[in-house]
Amino acid sequence: MADQDSQDRTQPATPKRIAKAREEGQVARSKDLGHFAAIAAGGSVLVATMPMLSDWMKQILLHGLRFDAAMVQNTGFMTARLQELTLRMLWVVLPFGALMALTGVGAGIAMGGWNFTLKPLLPQFGKLNPLHGLVGIVSKDKLVDVLKASVLAIVIGAIGALYLKSHIDEFTALLAMPLPAGINQAASTILGGVMLMLLALALFAAIDVPLQRFQHAQRLRMSHTEIKQENKELQGNQEIKGKIRARVREVSKRRMLTAVPTADLVVMNPTHYAVALKYDEKSMGAPRVVAKGADLFALTIRDLANASKVPVLEAPVLARALYAHAEIDHEVPAALFAAVAQVLAYVYQLRAALAGRLAMPATFPDLDVPRELDPHHKPAAVAPVKDTE
């Protein structure tokens, strides 16, 4: 069953699958890259501080080997001296080790990015199954890792053995040298061997980084069934979002229809667009749009306005411009202030005339609406210039 499932997973992982894997702590990491970075950082620090470390080592040895008769007679002298030397060594070894550890962590982050999660620490009782453990031991990835580690150990061991064999005379000569000179010579000889091993680690890291990325991508592969299921879940979420948006639009329409009877007028075009305007000079700095709609909803606004005795005026250009550029419960755009003011003035005069306070306005005013605000306006094409030569 496991082989069949592995064969079915032939498709690359989707972004959702990759994100879920990161949440579970599954990120491509290369141990060889971390080893190389840590040893390279440590070697660089050793080379840079070699003269200072040699002097420091000489002082430690001189101090450790200096004693007199009183010190020999003191039975607790050796313990105290060992503690003192140990503390001195720790002051150098601990920062050096911390630098190598941080460099190794930084190499891992550089390869797979920062990924902090506690999920791998949670108990997974399924792993207690012996059969499951045997399947994991004999998996292809495990076999590749074991083979790679074995080859690396053989290569590093061979380099170390050959280097020691070729420099055996130099190491033997150290016994005849004074202690300070012997320390310097030993450090220089060992550094050469470390550099050769570092080159081998660099080669293995260059191979292991793409290999780990490839293996990680292979582990995350998906089958056609899994991709279909994921798409179905995403589509289901889109359907829910669509229903929410439709519900919001429905609530907005109801709120607008409630505001239409309180409007001062409705501008139409004549059946495709309808915009309801309201203006209160005491509480508003400019007229506001309280409702707008197109097609069937525009006719609903018109009918409700007629039933509520709200004036309905046909001003096609203004209606289109307001519908395209004005927002619900917002003031009309500044570029349309003049046209809206003309329409409101006409409505106020009409109301006053019907009440017998003023004469009936003669004609509907010519509205000052910028052409560029009309969504139906098409700018005239510029005629091409003909070459007269």
Side-chain angles (χ1 to χ4, degrees):
M1 293 296 290
D3 294 339
Q4 181 66 31
D5 186 60
S6 176
Q7 292 175 1
D8 290 341
R9 294 181 176 179
T10 58
Q11 302 302 311
T14 61
K16 182 180 178 181
R17 175 73 179 93
I18 295 174
K20 183 179 179 180
R22 291 186 69 88
E23 292 178 359
E24 296 174 352
Q26 300 179 26
V27 182
R29 302 291 190 199
S30 172
K31 294 180 181 179
D32 291 340
L33 178 63
H35 296 161
F36 166 72
I39 296 177
S44 301
V45 173
L46 280 177
V47 172
T49 60
M50 184 63 71
M52 183 176 63
L53 288 177
S54 297
D55 293 339
W56 175 79
M57 183 64 71
K58 294 174 188 176
Q59 296 298 326
I60 288 289
L61 290 175
L62 289 174
H63 178 71
L65 297 175
R66 185 183 296 118
F67 56 91
D68 53 23
M71 294 179 180
V72 173
Q73 294 176 0
N74 184 4
T75 57
F77 163 73
M78 184 59 70
T79 302
R81 178 59 61 87
L82 287 175
Q83 291 177 350
E84 180 185 357
L85 293 178
T86 301
L87 289 176
R88 287 191 178 187
M89 291 291 293
L90 288 177
W91 278 109
V92 174
V93 173
L94 288 181
F96 185 72
L99 172 64
M100 296 181 66
L102 290 175
T103 306
V105 173
I109 294 175
M111 178 180 175
W114 175 260
N115 188 52
F116 180 79
T117 177
L118 297 177
K119 284 190 175 181
L121 301 179
L122 298 177
Q124 298 181 11
F125 299 103
K127 292 186 176 181
L128 298 177
N129 187 348
L131 296 178
H132 180 79
L134 290 175
V135 172
I137 291 175
V138 299
S139 65
K140 182 175 64 176
D141 291 348
K142 295 294 184 182
L143 293 176
V144 171
D145 291 340
V146 170
L147 178 62
K148 180 169 58 66
S150 301
V151 173
L152 178 60
I154 293 173
V155 171
I156 295 295
I159 291 175
L162 293 174
Y163 187 80
L164 289 175
K165 182 179 179 180
S166 61
H167 292 77
I168 189 66
D169 295 337
E170 297 179 18
F171 284 107
T172 304
L174 293 176
L175 299 175
M177 292 183 181
L179 185 58
I183 292 175
N184 291 334
Q185 183 62 30
S188 177
T189 305
I190 292 173
L191 182 61
V194 171
M195 293 302 296
L196 289 176
M197 293 182 181
L198 191 61
L199 289 176
L201 284 175
L203 177 61
F204 272 84
I207 297 174
D208 190 54
V209 168
L211 176 62
Q212 292 300 326
R213 288 177 175 170
F214 173 78
Q215 290 180 337
H216 180 66
Q218 293 294 102
R219 286 192 293 267
L220 297 183
R221 287 184 307 175
M222 304 174 66
S223 64
H224 289 285
T225 303
E226 291 173 333
I227 292 178
K228 289 180 180 179
Q229 182 64 28
E230 183 177 300
N231 291 334
K232 184 177 180 180
E233 293 176 358
L234 291 175
Q235 291 175 359
N237 292 336
Q238 292 298 328
E239 290 177 1
I240 294 174
K241 292 178 180 179
K243 291 180 180 180
I244 293 175
R245 287 194 294 267
R247 179 62 178 172
V248 170
R249 287 194 297 267
E250 185 65 25
V251 172
S252 177
K253 286 182 178 180
R254 291 180 181 178
R255 183 169 55 84
M256 286 190 292
L257 292 177
T258 304
V260 168
T262 66
D264 291 322
L265 77 155
V266 173
V267 182
M268 293 204 64
N269 172 36
T271 57
H272 292 86
Y273 300 100
V275 180
L277 301 172
K278 183 177 180 61
Y279 178 62
D280 184 358
E281 60 182 5
K282 295 181 180 179
S283 60
M284 300 179 185
R288 286 179 174 269
V289 175
V290 296
K292 70 175 184 178
D295 300 327
L296 292 177
F297 192 62
L299 297 178
T300 302
I301 293 176
R302 181 198 64 184
D303 295 340
L304 182 58
N306 289 330
S308 305
K309 298 183 180 180
V310 175
V312 179
L313 301 179
E314 291 187 8
V317 178
L318 179 59
R320 292 195 299 264
L322 286 172
Y323 183 84
H325 302 286
E327 300 294 336
I328 301 297
D329 292 333
H330 284 71
E331 296 179 352
V332 298
L336 297 175
F337 278 178
V340 172
Q342 289 177 286
V343 172
L344 285 172
Y346 178 80
V347 170
Y348 294 154
Q349 291 177 8
L350 186 62
R351 286 179 175 176
L354 293 175
R357 296 193 300 271
L358 292 175
M360 187 69 67
T363 57
F364 189 77
D366 241 352
L367 301 180
D368 183 16
V369 180
R371 289 187 177 182
E372 62 272 12
L373 296 183
D374 183 2
H376 290 188
H377 172 68
K378 296 181 180 179
V382 179
V385 180
K386 294 182 179 181
D387 190 355
T388 58
E389 294 183 1

